[in-house]
Every structure is written in C-alpha cells, then in structure tokens.
C-alpha cells in the first residue's frame, strides 16, 4: 500500500502518486470481483454436492429492438441480452423448423344429411369438413405352421414371414416402441404402462429386448454414416457432453456436418478417444511415416521414436495387439502410451484414405485439435463477455471490444457470401488490430491474448469459405443426449448404450434430410427397403446425384 503523501512535495510527484494509488485501487477492485465470482461458484458447487437447492438460473429478458424493420437473425439485431448496450452481437438462430406434413390422401368419405329436411328444400351441394383421426388396435396373429414329414422321415414346417422371424411382436408394434422411446423420449416404464393400457401383453424384459437387442442392421447403417461422412463431407463439426453408463460418468461425442449426424459414447473425452471414434470403421492399425511425423510434432522423446522407427510399416490387426506391442516395448508411462496411440490412430486414418487437410470445426476444446482446426466465434467471444468491469473505464473498454469483435464477425459473414482476397486481407488486419488493443483491465488483456492464440482457427474460414462461423449445429444436435440424460440418467448394458447412440444418429439423419423417422422404422422392420440407405443421402447432399423416387409415408 503506498504511503500517504505529504503536502509539501512537488505537484508532479503528487500526480505520480495519485496515479499509482488509482491503479492499485483498480487492481484491488478487479481481484475482489474475481474472488466474489469464485466464491459464488464454490457455494453453488457445495450446494450441489450436499444435494441442496441451488440458486435458480433465471436469464434476464432480452431487450426488444425498437426498429420494426429488423428481424431476428439480421445483422441489426442485438443478441447479447445481458449487455447494457447493444454490442452488435448477431442472433444465431439457425435451427431448422420442421414443416407440418400434408393432410392424408384418399380420405374416407361419410355423407351427413341434415335432420328433418322441410319439404320443398333445394339441394345445393356439399360442404367439406375434414377430421383427422388415429386408431390403436391390438390384434393377435396366430400363424398355423403346417408340419409335414417327408418319405425320408424329415420334418418340414411352414416358414414365418421375414418381418417376424425370431419375434413374437410384429413390425408395426416394434416400430411404434422404437419411435416412442428413441424419437419421443418416452421412458421404458411409461411406455410399458402405455402398452398395457392399450391391451398389449408384453413384459418389462421383453420391452427392454425390443429396444436394445437384435438391431445389427441398424447399427451397420449407422456405421456407414461415419465412413461416408469422412470421405465425402467437406468438413466435420464435433462436440461432446456427459453421458452416464453403468452408474459411471462417461461422454457422448457428436461427429457430423449439415449432411449427417453420428453419435458415439465412451468413457473418455481425450484426443486419443476422438481419434479412435474417427477410426471406428476400421480395425487394422499401421505404424507409418504419418505416425512418426505426429510423434515428432508432439515432442515424443527421441528414445521412443527410435523404437517405433524400427517397426515402421508394421500392421496390427486390432487395438489389443497394439497395446500388447507397447507392453513388449516396455512403454508403461500413461501419457507416453496415449501419445503413441494418438500417433498410431492418426497415421492409420491417413492410410485408410482420410484427408490430412480435413477441417474439424469445434468449440475450441483441445481433444479435437487434429487435422485442420476451425473455431467457433461465439465461444471465442465469451471470455470478453464474462469479464466483470469494476469502473466506468472498464465498462467502456469491454463495450468497445465487443463491438469490434462482432463487427469482425459480420465482415466474415460478408466474406463467406462473396469471397474476395482484398476483403480477407482486411479481416486479418482488423483482427490483429483488435488483439493488439491496449486496455487497462487485466482480464480483458488476458482475453485478448487468448484470442490472439486462436487466430489460425478463427480465421480458417478465410482459406475455406464453406466452413461455419459457429458451432450451433453441433450443440443443437447433441442436445438430444442432454435431454435423454436428464430423463433417464444413463444406460446399464452395452447393448443399451449402443442402441441409444444408433437410433439417435438415425433419427437425426432423418430429420436433416426431411425423412419421416416413423416411415423409416416401418420401412426397415417390414422389409420394404423403399427408402435408400441413409448414407446415400449424404452423397446426394454433397453431389446432388441421387434419384428421389421413393415415398416418405407408407
């Protein structure tokens, strides 16, 4: 703490002391604000651990724009509701609303005449009044399989239809069960009670088996989505969230694009795990030059690089054989084993034909830092927004930085609409001017420093205008798992976890390409196969060369 200055010192020294005191006061206020925020977070965590009710998270009202000509999503619309002034942050409501399906064709016609028509009345035609109805009927189909004995003494029986082979429940009932649980989020217990109320004789175990077992064809179709997306989509968007399994915390990773959606649940969210998810379509691994380059780029010790160099071009049948190889080499340190496995998976992906320049768009999480990295601008701007200013000067600094940040965002949107080298050069220049801005607030300085580090990923769109600027698609898609986690908590069996990921992927694929998920389930379970493989829709969306000669309802 500076000592109080005497009144007999020169005025220039007084000014210097006053300046030091003001700086010290501001720094103390910043530290107090940070400590208050930290205490608030810790109090909420204590409440959560004790099982107490925490402070309600009530969002402030978003101020309405007085300009009636501005619409949500326009550049003039202010989306930062917690800001005191309009920072110019755009509204990114990109979720596509489903359209109401057309009314059923071939209606059942019932003519209704008036009661007590007076004599002399004149008929003037019909007034049409449509009423949509749905009926639930439960029936038991008793297949009488004929039994014959051949002259050789062998028994032969009548063969059941393919759609009911191995089941005591028909394809329509199985479609309804899968749709209610995986598409509508109905829990198993509620679904069981609903079926019982309608007169379906089914046990809890039988219902669980219908939801989780004997879905190999669906699993195979889901796996095709990832393979096709890796080879045909111009970029990937990724995100992850918590997904409990067998009472333990796990993670669900979303991999997709505007053309496809794929979910995979695992126990980890490391970079090794992400690479292993990308590698799921293949089992064989190879130690090649790409893997060695990865080890060198990630500062693997020269001792282990020499060991791996001696085994160059060795192929491993599966992950177990690779782990056994690491054990034989004596590589026991977890971090080094993880780095070696990352290199192996990275090199194997390239050997299987995955592009080394494949852009991966994410919210900035480190586990997705592979291939070409592209970042989300909405996440990048949050550190600036979260700063708590302690005086008017800092409020003004934060406001000006946010305005400039979202002005840059608008410039990038304009560049995506009309790519131009001159405009790209201007964006780069404005970005560097932004991160080099001198500010007094230490938290704002730190936020700008972090922003400068992210320059390559945030400006990747200047090299590839097809890349998105935000991660809204991934977050909206993975919300499917967040809702299910809140409803059911988690899965117990490996088959249940696999079914959850598979049907979430297939449902989202149907939504992306405007296919009725109900029609899709009925098509597959009845064996119609009128709807093409969903992986074909990815190619159609990218190349536009698939015939749409199929019906969407049955």
């Amino acid at each position: 703490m500076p000592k109080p200055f005497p009144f007999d010192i020169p005025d220039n020294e007084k000014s210097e002391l006053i300046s030091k005191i003001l700086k010290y006061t501001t720094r103390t206020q910043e530290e107090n604000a940070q400590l208050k925020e930290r205490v608030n977070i810790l109090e909420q965590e204590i409440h959560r651990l004790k099982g107490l009710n925490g402070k309600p998270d009530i969002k402030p009202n978003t101020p309405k724009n007085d300009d009636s000509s501005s619409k949500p999503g326009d550049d003039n619309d202010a989306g930062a509701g917690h800001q005191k002034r309009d920072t110019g942050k755009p509204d990114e409501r990109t979720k596509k609303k489903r359209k109401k399906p057309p009314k059923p064709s071939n209606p059942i016609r019932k003519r209704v005449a008036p009661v007590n028509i007076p004599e002399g009345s004149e008929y003037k035609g019909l007034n049409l009044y449509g009423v949509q109805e749905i009926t639930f009927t439960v029936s038991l189909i008793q297949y009488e399989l004929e039994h014959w004995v051949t002259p050789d003494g062998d028994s032969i029986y009548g063969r059941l239809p393919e759609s009911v082979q191995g089941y005591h429940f028909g394809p329509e009932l199985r479609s309804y069960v899968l749709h209610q649980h995986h598409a509508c989020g109905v829990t198993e217990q509620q679904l069981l009670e609903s079926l019982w109320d309608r007169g379906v004789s089914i046990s809890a175990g039988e219902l669980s088996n219908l939801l989780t077992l004997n879905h190999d064809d669906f699993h195979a179709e889901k796996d095709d989505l990832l393979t096709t997306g890796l080879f045909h989509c111009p970029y990937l968007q990724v995100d992850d969230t918590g997904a409990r399994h067998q009472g333990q915390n796990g993670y669900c990773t979303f991999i997709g694009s505007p053309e496809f959606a794929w979910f995979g649940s695992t126990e980890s969210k490391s970079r090794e795990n992400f690479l292993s998810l990308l590698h799921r379509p293949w089992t064989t691994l190879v130690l090649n030059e790409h893997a060695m380059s990865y080890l060198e780029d990630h500062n693997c010790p020269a001792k282990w690089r020499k060991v791996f160099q001696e085994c160059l071009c060795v192929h491993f049948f599966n992950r177990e054989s690779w782990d056994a190889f690491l054990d034989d080499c004596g590589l026991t340190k977890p971090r080094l084993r993880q780095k070696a496995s990352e290199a192996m998976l990275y090199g194997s992906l390239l050997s299987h034909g995955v592009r080394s320049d494949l852009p991966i768009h994410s919210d900035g999480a480190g586990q997705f830092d592979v291939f070409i990295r592209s970042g989300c601008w909405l996440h990048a701007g949050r550190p600036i927004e979260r700063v708590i200013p302690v005086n008017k000067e800092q409020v003004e600094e934060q406001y000006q930085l946010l305005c400039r940040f979202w002005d840059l965002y608008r410039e990038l949107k304009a560049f995506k609409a009309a790519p131009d080298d001159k405009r790209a050069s201007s964006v780069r220049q404005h970005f560097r001017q932004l991160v080099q801005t001198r500010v007094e607030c230490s938290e704002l300085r730190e936020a700008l420093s972090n922003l400068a580090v992210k320059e390559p990923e945030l400006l990747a769109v200047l090299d590839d205008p097809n890349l998105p600027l935000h991660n809204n698609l991934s977050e909206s898609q993975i919300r499917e798992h967040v809702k299910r986690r809140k409803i059911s908590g988690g899965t117990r069996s490996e088959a249940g976890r696999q079914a959850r990921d598979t049907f979430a992927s297939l449902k989202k694929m149907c939504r992306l390409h405007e296919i009725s998920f109900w029609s899709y389930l009925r098509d597959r379970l009845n064996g119609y196969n009128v709807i093409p493989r969903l992986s074909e829709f990815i190619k159609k969306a990218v190349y536009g060369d698939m015939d749409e000669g199929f019906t969407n309802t049955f």
Side-chain angles (χ1 to χ4, degrees), residues 217-460:
D217 291 341
F218 286 117
H219 297 323
E221 188 162 4
K222 177 237 183 179
D223 292 339
D224 287 345
L225 300 179
L226 180 59
T227 309
T228 307
L230 280 172
F231 287 129
H232 297 284
C233 291
Y235 64 89
L236 299 181
Q237 284 192 249
V238 294
D239 201 359
D240 54 30
T241 187
R244 286 178 65 82
H245 177 63
Q246 294 181 346
Q248 303 297 319
N249 290 330
Y251 301 93
C252 175
T253 302
F254 165 80
I255 302 174
S257 71
E259 294 82 24
F260 83 103
W262 186 91
F263 296 91
S265 296
T266 52
E267 292 77 19
S268 170
K269 61 181 295 185
S270 63
R271 187 177 303 164
E272 178 189 1
N273 171 73
F274 176 59
L275 287 167
S276 67
L277 289 175
L278 294 178
H279 199 275
R280 270 198 184 179
W282 306 280
T283 57
T284 57
L285 300 161
V286 59
L287 189 61
N288 54 21
E289 291 291 349
H290 298 297
M292 298 306 300
S293 299
Y294 186 96
L295 290 173
E296 186 175 355
D297 294 340
H298 289 77
N299 302 319
C300 180
K303 166 190 172 182
W304 292 110
R305 293 208 307 271
K306 184 177 179 180
V307 172
F308 295 138
Q309 186 69 36
E310 295 175 354
C311 302
L312 203 63
C313 297
V314 173
H315 286 70
F316 300 87
F317 289 112
N318 49 41
R319 185 59 184 269
E320 288 73 20
S321 59
W322 165 250
D323 290 334
F325 167 75
L326 293 180
D327 293 336
D328 293 340
C329 292
L331 184 56
T332 57
K333 292 185 178 180
R335 182 65 190 119
L336 288 178
R337 284 180 70 101
Q338 182 178 355
K339 193 173 294 185
S341 298
E342 290 174 10
M344 167 66 78
L345 291 165
Y346 176 81
S348 296
L349 282 169
L350 298 186
S351 71
H352 286 296
V354 178
R355 294 183 291 131
S356 60
D357 59 348
L358 178 66
I360 305 291
H361 185 83
S362 69
D363 56 7
Q367 66 267 26
F368 303 127
D369 187 9
V370 293
F371 305 122
I372 302 298
R373 195 173 185 182
S374 172
C376 171
W377 274 74
L378 301 186
H379 283 82
R382 287 175 184 173
I384 301 177
E385 296 175 342
R386 282 198 295 261
V387 171
I388 303 175
V390 297
N391 53 41
K392 291 182 179 180
E393 289 76 13
Q394 292 188 6
V395 170
E396 185 64 27
E397 284 180 347
Q398 183 187 40
Y399 172 71
Q400 294 297 335
L401 288 178
L402 286 174
C403 287
R404 293 171 62 186
F405 182 87
W406 294 115
D407 284 344
L408 262 174
Y409 183 91
R410 289 193 185 87
E411 288 188 51
L412 283 173
K413 286 179 67 177
F415 171 82
K416 281 173 60 66
D420 179 74
D421 291 340
K422 183 177 180 181
R423 184 172 286 169
S425 176
S426 174
V427 171
R428 294 185 190 277
Q429 181 181 358
H430 290 164
F431 184 90
R432 286 164 188 165
Q433 290 174 352
L434 172 66
V435 298
Q436 293 171 3
T437 303
R438 298 180 62 86
V439 291
E440 295 298 328
C441 179
S442 60
E443 286 191 87
L444 287 176
R445 286 199 301 271
E446 183 179 356
L448 290 177
S449 298
N450 294 334
L451 201 61
V453 173
K454 296 179 179 179
E455 178 180 353
E457 57 193 82
L458 291 177
L459 299 185

Side-chain angles (χ1 to χ4, degrees), residues 16-151:
E16 185 177 349
L17 284 173
I18 291 172
S19 177
K20 290 181 179 180
I21 292 172
L22 290 176
K23 288 182 179 179
Y24 176 82
T25 303
T26 301
R27 187 166 62 252
T28 303
Q29 290 175 331
E30 291 177 6
E31 292 175 354
N32 288 339
Q34 294 171 13
L35 289 174
K36 287 181 180 179
E37 183 68 18
R38 183 62 180 166
V39 168
N40 183 39
I41 294 173
L42 292 175
E43 285 181 347
Q44 293 181 17
E45 181 67 11
I46 291 171
H47 276 69
R48 186 186 68 81
L49 294 174
K50 287 185 174 182
L52 304 176
N53 292 328
K55 181 180 179 182
D57 184 17
I58 301 175
K59 304 297 183 184
N61 291 330
T62 302
K64 295 182 179 180
N65 198 334
D66 293 334
D67 185 4
S68 59
S69 63
S70 178
K71 298 179 180 179
D74 290 345
D75 284 346
N76 294 328
D77 185 51
H82 63 281
Q83 293 291 328
K84 294 183 178 180
R85 290 182 282 185
D86 177 18
T87 60
K89 178 179 176 180
D91 189 3
E92 291 296 333
R93 298 184 181 94
T94 59
K95 186 174 180 180
K96 188 176 180 180
K97 284 190 175 182
R98 294 186 65 192
K99 295 181 180 179
K100 183 178 71 172
K103 291 183 179 180
S105 57
N106 301 322
I108 300 172
R109 300 190 177 276
K110 294 184 178 181
R111 179 171 292 196
V112 181
V115 179
N116 299 327
I117 303 176
E119 287 189 24
S121 300
E122 183 180 357
Y123 175 71
K124 290 292 186 179
L126 299 173
N127 290 338
L128 299 181
Y129 185 87
V131 176
Q132 297 184 62
E133 181 59 288
I134 187 170
T135 58
F136 291 93
T137 58
V138 179
S139 60
L140 177 63
I141 303 175
Q142 194 78 45
Y143 288 96
E144 299 174 347
L145 306 180
E146 295 185 2
H147 178 195
W148 291 72
V149 179
T150 67

